[in-house]
């Protein structure tokens, strides 16, 4: 895992980055690896890939973060990326793999109300995706909205959102 994280930092080759992210994502299926990746500063390295201009790299980074977000301690570190993930969802092509990967991560990060406030500004985007997206996009957006709606503090923001 340490070598993969180092490789991710050391290369500019999108194909190598994509493969390293896939491997890290698969490794994150095991809870012990989630802790190891966090302790090796892997979350910030993977998070840094969100600014990559290659859509496949960005998608694989979001997928890896999604798998890593199944851990509460990882969520505490990933939460600093929520605003960036929301912007990525908003700017990604409609129904794209990048958009869906971002929505899946936001679904996991919104299971508890801890980070709902960081998603408030994206509610209009979520509602737009609900009306314009394909069924896959709509289902993923609904998961985020259901999680947000479970928090009474979000009611006002959800009902006042301009679409």
């Amino acid at each position: 895992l340490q070598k993969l994280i180092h490789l991710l930092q050391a290369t500019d080759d999108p194909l190598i980055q994509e493969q390293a992210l896939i491997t890290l994502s698969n490794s994150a299926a095991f809870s012990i690896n989630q802790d190891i990746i966090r302790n090796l500063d892997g979350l910030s390295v993977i998070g840094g890939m969100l600014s990559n201009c290659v859509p496949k790299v960005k998608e694989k980074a979001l997928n890896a973060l999604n798998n890593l977000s199944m851990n509460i301690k990882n969520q505490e570190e990933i939460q600093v990326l929520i605003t960036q993930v929301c912007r990525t969802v908003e700017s990604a092509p409609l129904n794209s793999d990048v958009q869906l990967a971002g929505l899946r991560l936001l679904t996991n990060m919104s299971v508890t109300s801890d980070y709902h406030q960081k998603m408030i500004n994206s509610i209009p985007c979520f509602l737009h995706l609900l009306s314009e997206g394909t069924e896959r996009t709509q289902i993923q957006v609904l998961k985020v909205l259901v999680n947000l709606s479970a928090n009474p503090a979000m009611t006002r923001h959800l009902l006042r959102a301009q679409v």
Side-chain angles (χ1 to χ4, degrees):
L1 292 173
Q2 186 175 24
K3 288 183 181 192
L4 278 171
I5 293 167
H6 178 70
L7 178 64
L8 205 51
Q9 289 175 299
T11 186
D12 289 330
D13 184 332
L15 293 174
I16 293 173
Q17 291 171 333
E18 187 179 343
Q19 289 304 309
L21 287 165
I22 289 169
T23 304
L24 286 167
S25 182
N26 291 340
S27 298
F30 303 97
S31 56
I32 188 136
N33 290 341
Q34 294 171 2
D35 293 331
I36 292 169
I37 292 168
R38 181 185 65 253
N39 292 333
L40 292 171
D41 199 33
L43 295 173
S44 65
V45 173
I46 295 168
M49 295 286 114
L50 295 180
S51 58
N52 195 299
C53 59
V54 179
K56 280 288 183 194
V57 172
K58 195 178 290 193
E59 174 200 349
K60 301 309 182 205
L62 288 163
N63 288 339
L65 290 170
N66 183 46
N67 288 350
L68 289 161
S69 73
M70 304 307 270
N71 175 310
I72 296 295
K73 287 184 181 177
N74 286 354
Q75 281 192 1
E76 291 170 6
E77 289 192 30
I78 293 170
Q79 60 97 11
V80 301
L81 300 170
I82 290 176
T83 304
Q84 185 177 4
V85 173
C86 288
R87 282 195 307 264
T88 299
V89 167
E90 292 176 29
S91 64
L94 183 63
N95 305 313
S96 66
D97 290 335
V98 170
Q99 191 172 62
L100 287 167
L103 288 168
R104 283 192 293 271
L105 175 56
L106 292 175
T107 299
N108 281 350
M109 294 300 293
S110 65
V111 168
T112 66
S113 61
D114 296 345
Y115 311 115
H116 286 181
Q117 291 295 322
K118 294 178 178 272
M119 298 180 204
I120 287 173
N121 292 335
S122 294
I123 291 173
C125 171
F126 298 151
L127 295 172
H128 171 75
L129 293 176
L130 188 59
S131 66
E132 297 297 321
T134 61
E135 185 175 326
R136 282 178 49 193
T137 301
Q138 290 172 337
I139 289 169
Q140 211 54 59
V141 169
L142 281 171
K143 290 178 181 182
V144 175
L145 290 171
V146 165
N147 288 346
L148 295 177
S149 70
N151 179 355
M154 296 300 290
T155 303
R156 179 173 49 99
H157 301 289
L158 288 165
L159 294 176
R160 288 188 178 171
Q162 297 295 312
V163 182

